[in-house]
Amino acid sequence: MKIYTLQLGPIQANCYIVQTAPDRCIAVDIGGDSRRFLDFIAGKGLSLRKILLTHGHFDHMLGVEEVRKATGAEVYVHTDDAKMLVSPEYSLFEGFGMSGSFPAVSDYTAVFGDCWINDGDCSFKVIHTPGHSEGSVCYICDDVMFSGDTLFNGSCGRTDLAGGNTTDLVNSLRHIYMIDRDLKVYPGHGEESSLAYEKQYNPYLSRFKGEL
């Protein structure tokens, strides 16, 4: 499994391109810059089969519809965030004063926690981690976790936006802390990390140390 990282869209959210077979890939979040994304995978000789969204905020999905139409890729989002894909209000596109028309995603599959999404040689487990948004998820594949805006390097997602909930986020972070193996962490913004490092040095995770 090879992972490429692009920073896309108006807030430069991380987009991860995961090579799941020699000639195919999936993407985790496409926050904009659709043409740049399409040129990148074409340059790698990869066919995009699936787009996995960690949540529905505009900075993680603005490029999805154009890429979906160009590639025929299936789009996956947690059922609790599905409304964001068709709403400039719920996706915060309007609230953050974005210009232009909102590129609603017209075809997607709603998923739930603990289900699996398979592609090529890879299987991605959906972990429901509400708090930053109602339908925030992490995806775990082998020794990798794509944590969206739930867990960052040294920090965690904000809860003061519509759909955010501090109690839910604390419970989600506790759930992540209880994972009993190390994982490479690829967050929605910022630098990658590891779960072991975050458990030790991230104050939002290390607080659960006494609960084991």
Side-chain angles (χ1 to χ4, degrees):
M1 178 175 59
K2 189 165 188 178
I3 301 172
Y4 304 96
T5 306
L6 299 175
Q7 282 80 42
L8 302 178
I11 307 183
Q12 294 290 281
N14 289 329
C15 167
Y16 299 108
I17 299 161
V18 183
Q19 189 169 341
T20 58
D23 61 348
R24 62 191 289 163
C25 66
I26 66 95
V28 179
D29 294 342
I30 305 177
D33 301 320
S34 306
R35 178 48 50 191
R36 181 180 166 213
F37 174 90
L38 291 168
D39 288 346
F40 182 88
I41 62 170
K44 297 293 183 182
L46 297 173
S47 172
L48 181 71
R49 303 304 178 93
K50 294 178 172 67
I51 301 169
L52 280 53
L53 294 177
T54 60
H55 60 296
H57 288 156
F58 73 94
D59 56 320
H60 292 258
M61 55 71 63
L62 282 184
V64 168
E65 181 65 358
E66 184 175 346
V67 170
R68 185 194 70 79
K69 287 181 176 178
T71 63
E74 301 172 88
V75 178
Y76 295 84
V77 65
H78 191 275
T79 183
D80 289 343
D81 271 14
K83 63 185 179 183
M84 296 184 184
L85 302 191
V86 296
S87 170
E89 176 186 358
Y90 289 130
S91 67
L92 305 182
F93 182 83
E94 288 182 346
F96 275 70
M98 294 294 105
S99 60
S101 59
F102 177 73
V105 180
S106 60
D107 189 14
Y108 57 84
T109 298
V111 298
F112 300 86
D114 296 326
C115 70
W116 292 82
I117 300 170
N118 302 313
D119 190 79
D121 300 324
C122 299
S123 294
F124 300 83
K125 186 176 183 180
V126 181
I127 308 296
H128 187 203
T129 54
H132 178 65
S133 70
E134 295 173 297
S136 285
V137 301
C138 298
Y139 296 99
I140 296 178
C141 179
D142 296 335
D143 64 346
V144 167
M145 177 169 66
F146 300 98
S147 61
D149 285 6
T150 298
L151 177 66
F152 299 134
N153 186 330
S155 189
C156 66
R158 59 192 292 186
T159 59
D160 59 332
L161 302 172
N165 184 290
T166 300
T167 299
D168 286 346
L169 183 62
V170 169
N171 289 332
S172 293
L173 292 172
R174 179 183 287 109
H175 185 186
I176 290 172
Y177 186 88
M178 297 304 173
I179 295 173
D180 61 357
R181 59 194 177 99
D182 195 18
L183 298 170
K184 299 173 185 174
V185 177
Y186 290 83
H189 301 271
E191 298 297 320
E192 65 187 69
S193 185
S194 72
L195 189 53
Y197 180 90
E198 296 305 312
K199 286 181 178 182
Q200 183 69 27
Y201 298 107
N202 184 330
Y204 298 97
L205 279 190
S206 63
R207 62 184 291 183
F208 304 116
K209 199 174 297 184
E211 297 185 13
L212 285 179

